Amino acid sequence: MSSRSDSPLGALIRSLRQRAGMTIEELAERSEVSPRAISDIERGVRQTPHRRTIAALSRGMKLSPEEASELEQKFHMTRVRNTAATYDSLPLPRISPEFIGRTDQQFEICEALSDDQTGAVVVVTGSPGIGKTSLAVRVAHAVEKGFQHVAFVDLGGLGEVPLSSVEVARRLISGIAPTAIQAPSNQVLDQLQSVIQDRRVLIILDNADNETQVRPLLPPRGPSAVLVTSRHRLAGLVGVTHVALPPLSTTESVSFLEQVLSSGPHNKTDLHDLARLCSNVPLALRIAANQVNAFPARTVAHVVARLESTEYRLDTLTAGDLSLAAACQSSYEQLDATTQLVFRRLGLADSAVVSIGIASLLSELPELETRQALDHLAELSLLDPTDVDKYTVHELLWLFAKNRLEQTDSREDLLRARATTDQRVLESAAIAGSFLSGSKDFIATDWFDAPLFRGDSSQEAIAWLNEERPEWHGAMHRAAAQNEHERLGIALRHLHWFSKVWHYQSPWADLFGLGGYSAEQIGHYPASCLFYGEQLWFLLSEGENHAQADAVANLMDQAAIEADSPGVLAWADYYRARLLLVRGQLTEALIPATRAAETMRAMNESAVALFALQQQAEVLILLGRIEEGLEVLRESRALFLTHQESIGALAATLAHANGARLIAQTNRETGNWKATIEASTIALSALNKFDYLPTHPLMAVILTFRAIAYEEDGQISEAMVDRSRIRELSELP
């Protein structure tokens, strides 16, 4: 006798089992459902068995289509009766009192949801911890008065078993129309559309897994609206408004911290540092603030100090049940093995911006397969596409990738991938640099098989070298550490002229120092002299450290002596003269400057002779020997006109601009303002010839000459324009 004779589902299963002539034990064996579970269902002890259990019993009893349909309907009626009380409200979560920014996104979402005719749908996406749900809840609270019903459902997109669209529809029907008798599974989605078609309903579908889960729930038309949040971009949905959430700005992050921190005021510098270390991600900011709030003796500076370590930063960003690593892990677990590999290997990259070529080499996969994996990562908001072939990963996700890398991949695999990538990067940097040097000397023929740089112009070479500079910079340091001296030297030699283009925040003094040492180790003293000379040049450009400059100059001189070549000795003279000129030792500078110019001229080294002659002229002019200086400048001008086609476009342009700069400087010294303006304009026009030269340091010097000349000549408005441009150049990063 059943103790719960009011269980229609249990009574039906018992009836069907007996009709099939089966005992509970026989049904258990055929259905793989335990005898205890079957007994509990039949007796009404289990009022709401899982759908999978009912399907297994149906198969075990080999029910006819009619019997299976009857069992399905009875199951759904039981589910409705026993779950309606659970879902009859679907209330909004509590609104977070601390909320900063997102003004533009809030306005865009509210505007879209205000359309009461087309079934508005908004999809909010973003990376883990970026604040998607907080924004959706805030917007929902703001607009709820414009709707008859507001229903919130967590779709469980990051769980092991996300809700099916049918289950979500049942919950929504129960919440919006609790008295409705729910239809069978194959009709419940249509029933949802019927329920909302004449109602003004706002449905918030939080934490969506994919388009298939969401698409059947969207209103095709009518007054209802849907707001979806997801880490997936859900690009397959059409006719929807997509809103992607970036990290907060630094100002917004600091304001958020000031709201959340329970004590204060706090040092602004500490707050800015904390925002930076949290990558302006709201969840990370919340966790960091909670760590301060939970311990009265702990300050913002204490948390900043703990977060400075990249090795432990993710572990530190944990407070109670809030964990940034856990948020990242939930997304990582959704990836297939190949995409996980590509994501992990991003932890080997030297930059947050990674090209497909670099990612392919690091992951040791073909570019097509890598591109597909990167697109998948972007679709899951773990990367941001920044260009056709480039993706950006914010620092906290990069640290997570690095952490997974160290836990998953073998050291041998990582060393191999990094070494292969470094080799290809240095080869490609040399090839790109050859477009500026005008020579492919010393580049091995097999380097041309599959370079990362695939352009065919100086402009494209400059763009590639700028974009990939963290990679080739890191590769050079690793080459030096691993005694790859020849490869480093070849790449650096071909980047010589690129170094004349990119100055701001440049690593050149450091890199040319590595080059000088590497060339010295393999006995290539001419290259060692040149590299040490370039290191000296950049040290002087950045503000001289006397002891360091003297040490480098001595290394350069020693390499020149070892090379035992007139040309190499002339190079050493050129750089030594530069050192003395900067120090104002003009009389001493004139000797090596003149010697370098005469030697290079005699050796028919046109490009080098041009700059050597110009340096000699500059020293003469500064010594007050104006006519002698102008005569040397005329000689350099004649040399330029004769050989400009053979010395390379960039070298010719810089030589032309520098010569005009010296003419302007001479006329400024003599007070000839119109001639100063004319010569300065010629120099500036030369620099403006290339897109990548208007930020060259020489530009600011020449603009200063012309601005002074304009002011002295009474052309004040023109001078103000030049002064404004000088300020812009001084603010470059």
Side-chain angles (χ1 to χ4, degrees):
M1 178 70 69
S2 171
S3 61
R4 298 199 183 193
S5 58
D6 61 339
S7 172
L9 178 63
L12 177 60
I13 290 174
R14 183 169 53 252
S15 173
L16 292 170
R17 176 179 59 78
Q18 292 172 348
R19 193 184 307 170
M22 300 172 65
T23 65
I24 287 179
E25 288 72 19
E26 288 172 333
L27 177 56
E29 184 178 352
R30 293 187 182 185
S31 65
E32 296 183 348
V33 177
S34 72
R36 175 64 180 273
I38 297 173
S39 176
D40 286 348
I41 294 170
E42 290 187 0
R43 291 183 296 114
V45 175
R46 288 186 62 184
Q47 295 281 323
T48 55
H50 198 280
R51 182 182 291 104
R52 289 194 296 268
T53 302
I54 298 301
L57 294 175
S58 180
R59 290 192 301 271
M61 291 184 287
K62 297 183 179 180
L63 299 181
S64 67
E66 293 77 13
E67 290 173 326
S69 178
E70 181 185 7
L71 179 60
E72 175 79 3
Q73 290 185 33
K74 191 70 69 176
F75 166 73
H76 286 305
M77 290 177 65
T78 302
R79 293 283 286 181
V80 170
R81 185 183 67 187
N82 287 286
T83 61
T86 305
Y87 307 125
D88 62 359
S89 59
L90 300 176
L92 284 171
R94 184 176 70 91
I95 191 170
S96 174
E98 299 97 2
F99 191 90
I100 289 292
R102 309 302 193 200
T103 304
D104 292 342
Q105 291 89 349
Q106 288 186 70
F107 179 80
E108 184 179 4
I109 296 170
C110 290
E111 279 286 296
L113 296 179
S114 67
D115 186 346
D116 60 1
Q117 298 297 320
T118 61
V121 179
V122 179
V123 177
V124 179
T125 59
S127 58
I130 208 68
K132 300 177 290 295
T133 300
S134 295
L135 176 61
V137 170
R138 177 164 289 268
V139 168
H141 277 285
V143 302
E144 63 179 334
K145 291 183 179 178
F147 293 86
Q148 295 170 270
H149 302 274
V150 178
F152 180 97
V153 181
D154 184 347
L155 303 191
L158 296 175
E160 291 185 7
V161 184
L163 295 179
S164 69
S165 55
V166 170
E167 177 63 23
V168 177
R170 291 194 181 283
R171 295 191 181 194
L172 289 170
I173 293 168
S174 296
I176 298 167
T179 61
I181 298 175
Q182 294 204 4
S185 294
N186 60 350
Q187 298 175 24
V188 72
L189 293 170
D190 291 334
Q191 184 183 15
L192 173 63
Q193 298 301 330
S194 176
V195 165
I196 67 175
Q197 67 178 354
D198 295 322
R199 289 180 170 91
R200 178 74 168 141
V201 179
L202 173 60
I203 299 171
I204 294 90
L205 301 176
D206 189 44
N207 199 14
D209 180 45
N210 55 50
E211 293 92 339
T212 302
Q213 184 189 35
V214 170
R215 190 178 287 112
L217 306 170
L218 305 181
R221 65 189 69 83
S224 292
V226 177
L227 177 55
V228 184
T229 73
S230 179
R231 292 187 188 178
H232 296 266
R233 295 180 185 268
L234 303 182
L237 298 180
V238 297
V240 306
T241 299
H242 288 276
V243 177
L245 295 187
L248 298 172
S249 69
T250 300
T251 300
E252 290 170 338
S253 295
V254 170
S255 297
F256 178 82
L257 289 169
E258 288 175 330
Q259 281 193 14
V260 177
L261 289 166
S262 57
S263 61
H266 299 276
N267 182 282
K268 283 284 189 182
T269 300
D270 290 341
L271 293 177
H272 276 82
D273 287 341
L274 188 57
R276 170 180 56 82
L277 293 168
C278 291
S279 295
N280 297 314
V281 173
L283 176 60
L285 294 166
R286 164 69 68 181
I287 292 171
N290 285 358
Q291 290 187 352
V292 177
N293 293 338
F295 300 94
R298 186 175 294 171
T299 66
V300 173
H302 289 142
V303 177
V304 166
R306 295 177 66 189
L307 292 176
E308 286 286 1
S309 169
T310 58
E311 184 178 358
Y312 300 110
R313 188 176 305 167
L314 281 178
D315 293 335
T316 302
L317 286 172
T318 301
D321 62 349
L322 296 178
S323 169
L324 191 70
C328 296
Q329 180 68 21
S330 60
S331 288
Y332 178 78
E333 289 175 349
Q334 293 188 327
L335 306 174
D336 59 75
T338 297
T339 309
Q340 285 184 345
L341 171 64
V342 172
F343 180 67
R344 290 197 309 272
R345 292 295 176 87
L346 295 179
L348 284 176
D350 290 308
S351 170
V353 182
V354 183
S355 66
I356 289 175
I358 294 293
S360 173
L361 288 168
L362 291 175
S363 58
E364 302 178 289
L365 294 172
E367 284 198 8
L368 178 59
E369 194 171 353
T370 304
R371 182 189 294 273
Q372 291 170 339
L374 291 171
D375 283 343
H376 187 192
L377 290 167
E379 199 278 329
L380 196 54
S381 300
L382 293 173
L383 298 178
D384 287 320
T386 53
D387 204 342
V388 177
D389 292 325
K390 286 189 175 294
Y391 299 79
T392 298
V393 53
H394 73 63
E395 187 176 19
L396 294 177
L397 283 170
W398 179 81
L399 291 176
F400 177 78
K402 191 175 183 65
N403 179 271
R404 296 302 308 168
L405 187 76
E406 293 167 351
Q407 294 180 16
T408 307
D409 297 59
S410 71
R411 186 172 184 273
E412 292 74 18
D413 288 345
L414 299 183
L415 289 174
R416 182 186 62 248
R418 185 69 263 183
T420 301
T421 304
D422 284 348
Q423 177 178 333
R424 188 69 62 79
V425 166
L426 290 181
E427 292 170 355
S428 301
I431 291 169
S434 71
F435 282 88
L436 302 176
S437 66
S439 170
K440 292 184 173 61
D441 293 346
F442 303 108
I443 297 183
T445 55
D446 60 354
W447 284 19
F448 291 91
D449 290 344
L452 292 168
F453 171 64
R454 295 161 187 167
D456 58 6
S457 69
S458 296
Q459 283 81 358
E460 289 174 307
I462 290 288
W464 187 87
L465 288 167
N466 272 317
E467 290 167 3
E468 299 294 355
R469 61 192 182 191
E471 285 295 330
W472 55 256
H473 185 192
M476 285 186 172
H477 275 275
R478 286 185 289 271
Q482 295 159 14
N483 298 323
E484 292 279 348
H485 300 307
E486 185 174 0
R487 191 175 300 277
L488 169 61
I490 291 170
L492 195 55
R493 171 164 181 162
H494 282 83
L495 290 177
H496 172 258
W497 282 108
F498 175 62
S499 73
K500 305 305 181 187
V501 174
W502 173 39
H503 286 251
Y504 296 100
Q505 288 190 344
S506 68
W508 293 115
D510 178 35
L511 292 179
F512 279 117
L514 289 178
Y517 174 79
S518 286
E520 187 179 328
Q521 295 309 298
I522 59 176
H524 197 324
Y525 294 108
S528 182
C529 175
L530 173 63
F531 291 151
Y532 280 134
E534 284 296 291
Q535 182 186 18
L536 179 61
W537 194 93
F538 279 100
L539 287 173
L540 297 174
S541 300
E542 295 166 5
E544 185 189 354
N545 176 319
H546 281 266
Q548 186 180 12
D550 285 337
V552 172
N554 289 336
L555 289 172
M556 173 191 70
D557 289 341
Q558 185 61 40
I561 293 169
E562 293 289 344
D564 192 24
S565 161
V568 176
L569 289 168
W571 270 113
D573 277 334
Y574 174 79
Y575 290 114
R576 174 66 70 175
R578 182 70 184 172
L579 173 62
L580 295 169
L581 188 157
V582 168
R583 289 180 174 174
Q585 297 173 246
L586 301 177
T587 302
E588 295 87 341
L590 184 59
I591 297 170
T594 301
R595 193 163 55 219
E598 290 175 349
T599 302
M600 292 298 181
R601 192 76 167 89
M603 295 178 64
N604 292 319
E605 293 285 348
S606 306
V608 182
L610 265 175
F611 290 99
L613 285 166
Q614 289 176 352
Q615 181 172 253
Q616 180 190 9
E618 183 173 9
V619 175
L620 287 167
I621 290 167
L622 290 173
L623 282 168
R625 296 160 63 174
I626 305 296
E627 288 304 319
E628 291 178 72
L630 290 175
E631 179 60 34
V632 174
L633 279 180
R634 283 190 284 271
E635 183 182 357
S636 71
R637 176 66 176 168
L639 186 65
F640 168 77
L641 293 174
T642 303
H643 297 284
Q644 60 178 317
E645 297 297 327
S646 63
I647 63 176
L650 179 58
T653 297
L654 290 175
H656 185 196
N658 193 51
R661 186 266 302 181
L662 288 169
I663 296 292
Q665 182 176 341
T666 304
N667 284 296
R668 189 195 68 167
E669 295 295 328
T670 60
N672 189 338
W673 306 121
K674 292 192 181 300
T676 302
I677 293 169
E678 180 182 357
S680 297
T681 302
I682 291 172
L684 293 170
S685 297
L687 291 176
N688 282 316
K689 180 179 178 182
F690 291 98
D691 292 340
Y692 47 80
L693 286 180
T695 59
H696 192 277
L698 195 57
M699 180 72 73
V701 174
I702 299 167
L703 282 167
T704 301
F705 288 168
R706 193 170 71 173
I708 293 171
Y710 274 141
E711 289 165 351
E712 293 293 337
D713 200 47
Q715 301 183 53
I716 304 303
S717 60
E718 289 83 352
M720 290 176 64
V721 172
D722 281 355
R723 293 288 186 190
S724 176
R725 178 60 180 148
I726 294 166
R727 283 193 296 273
E728 290 175 9
L729 291 171
S730 69
E731 293 170 1
L732 285 174

